[in-house]
Amino acid sequence: MKILNTVAALREWRASVPGGKTIGLVPTMGALHLGHASLLDASERENDLTIATIFVNPTQFNQSTDFEKYPKTFESDLAMCEKYGADVVFSPSSADEMYPDHFLYRVSEHQLSNELCGEFRPGHFEGVLTVVLKLLNLAKADHAYFGEKDHQQLSLISGMARAFFLETKIIPCPTVREASGLAMSSRNLRLSPADKEIAPGLYRVISDFIDPLQARSELERLGFRVEYLVDREESGAIRRSVAAWLGEVRLIDNVRI
Ligand code: AMP
């Protein structure tokens, strides 16, 4: 497995890949868990070569403390990439490596990105779409893998790929959960022991309660500070999305109901 830290090195590696080989791209912010592993696994199965990227993208954080406290577990991330079949890990050595323009050029979406998480995290999806477009352009992958746990992100990335006629096919991957039902997330590492006990309630409540208002009050009763809990129609079914805080940690989840 190759570890590349510069855009130049990634371009050089990409140029050396023979024409007939297929490539899968798995973008991450590190602190890898079995959710990320499932994306790597899918890419390994469906492509000749897999590029995993590890970059805590500063432009998608709207709170500097969230950025600073984002968990970093680089050595075990590399072991996970190796175990799940990555051929290349691209881990840019600095933000300037990805933003030689200092974020003067950005990708914006003007509807969905202002709703749900976007309403509470201004600029977040602009940062996400911009970094993902850069990674897609560098990797020139056949497939890129994204988790349904971040369903709004997945919808926006799929929309961007359609809008800009990108060649890479965006592949959705199901949410991987702990045995308790809690969606795996790098931010779970920051939960206090007491909040870890409460956290599985998020999935349980959004799955079990029919009425969204009752679900919201049940979450508040358990100790969550609910940011939003919204039911929306989506191709003939209802998708329920939630964001809620436990202490300093913001958790998101979504289910089809
Ligand atoms: P992150 O490192 O949190 O930015 O996530 C990188 C990718 O992994 C994104 O496409 C996420 O949607 C996906 N991902 C994160 N957690 C999970 C999970 N529990 N199940 C499936 N995919 C996930």
Side-chain angles (χ1 to χ4, degrees):
M1 187 177 76
K2 278 191 177 7
I3 301 163
L4 307 175
N5 302 115
T6 64
V7 166
L10 178 59
R11 287 188 139 152
E12 195 181 322
W13 176 83
R14 183 64 187 86
S16 76
V17 175
K21 299 262 186 208
T22 55
I23 293 187
L25 174 70
V26 180
T28 81
M29 298 208 297
L32 300 186
H33 48 66
L34 292 176
H36 299 111
S38 74
L39 273 53
L40 289 167
D41 222 25
S43 175
E44 219 248 318
R45 279 197 311 273
E46 296 165 11
N47 302 276
D48 296 319
L49 296 166
T50 291
I51 308 176
T53 74
I54 298 178
F55 178 57
V56 185
N57 174 36
T59 66
Q60 73 187 69
F61 286 82
N62 55 312
Q63 283 186 346
S64 55
T65 48
D66 189 28
F67 176 58
E68 284 148 19
K69 291 193 178 160
Y70 199 82
K72 288 167 197 76
T73 59
F74 192 64
E75 290 309 315
S76 62
D77 292 350
L78 291 182
M80 181 88 113
C81 288
E82 180 105 57
K83 178 169 174 196
Y84 288 91
D87 298 278
V88 167
V89 175
F90 175 55
S91 168
S93 53
S94 69
D96 282 354
E97 197 61 39
M98 290 308 288
Y99 293 100
D101 63 327
H102 301 294
F103 199 41
L104 286 175
Y105 289 83
R106 304 173 186 197
V107 182
S108 313
E109 188 274 354
H110 292 269
Q111 193 167 308
L112 177 59
S113 63
N114 300 321
E115 301 167 10
L116 304 175
C117 287
E119 186 185 335
F120 297 91
R121 303 187 69 190
H124 167 66
F125 287 115
E126 202 172 60
V128 169
L129 292 178
T130 303
V131 80
V132 169
L133 181 62
K134 286 170 187 256
L135 293 171
L136 290 171
N137 282 336
L138 289 169
K140 291 187 275 198
D142 298 271
H143 305 112
Y145 296 81
F146 295 90
E148 285 176 348
K149 195 217 133 213
D150 301 280
H151 190 264
Q152 188 179 10
Q153 166 174 288
L154 171 63
S155 302
L156 285 162
I157 291 168
S158 302
M160 172 177 77
R162 282 192 301 275
F164 293 119
F165 311 114
L166 302 182
E167 300 282 352
T168 307
K169 186 162 184 231
I170 305 301
I171 313 286
C173 301
T175 302
V176 177
R177 300 180 178 281
E178 310 274 1
S180 66
L182 176 65
M184 291 194 184
S185 164
S186 306
R187 287 189 176 87
N188 294 351
L189 291 172
R190 291 182 48 213
L191 289 168
S192 70
D195 287 342
K196 264 199 191 98
E197 300 289 313
I198 301 174
L202 189 64
Y203 176 62
R204 203 174 51 241
V205 171
I206 64 168
S207 308
D208 289 356
F209 281 68
I210 294 168
D211 177 22
L213 288 175
Q214 279 183 10
R216 191 181 178 115
S217 10
E218 176 63 7
L219 288 173
E220 304 274 1
R221 195 186 66 76
L222 292 174
F224 291 91
R225 278 176 291 127
V226 178
E227 206 169 72
Y228 67 79
L229 190 157
V230 174
D231 288 359
R232 288 195 164 173
E233 200 180 327
E234 181 194 274
S235 39
I238 303 284
R239 184 168 299 273
R240 174 172 289 172
S241 306
V242 67
W245 292 80
L246 277 178
E248 301 282 279
V249 182
R250 183 176 180 275
L251 300 175
I252 59 171
D253 205 344
N254 67 88
V255 285
R256 269 164 78 98
I257 53 171

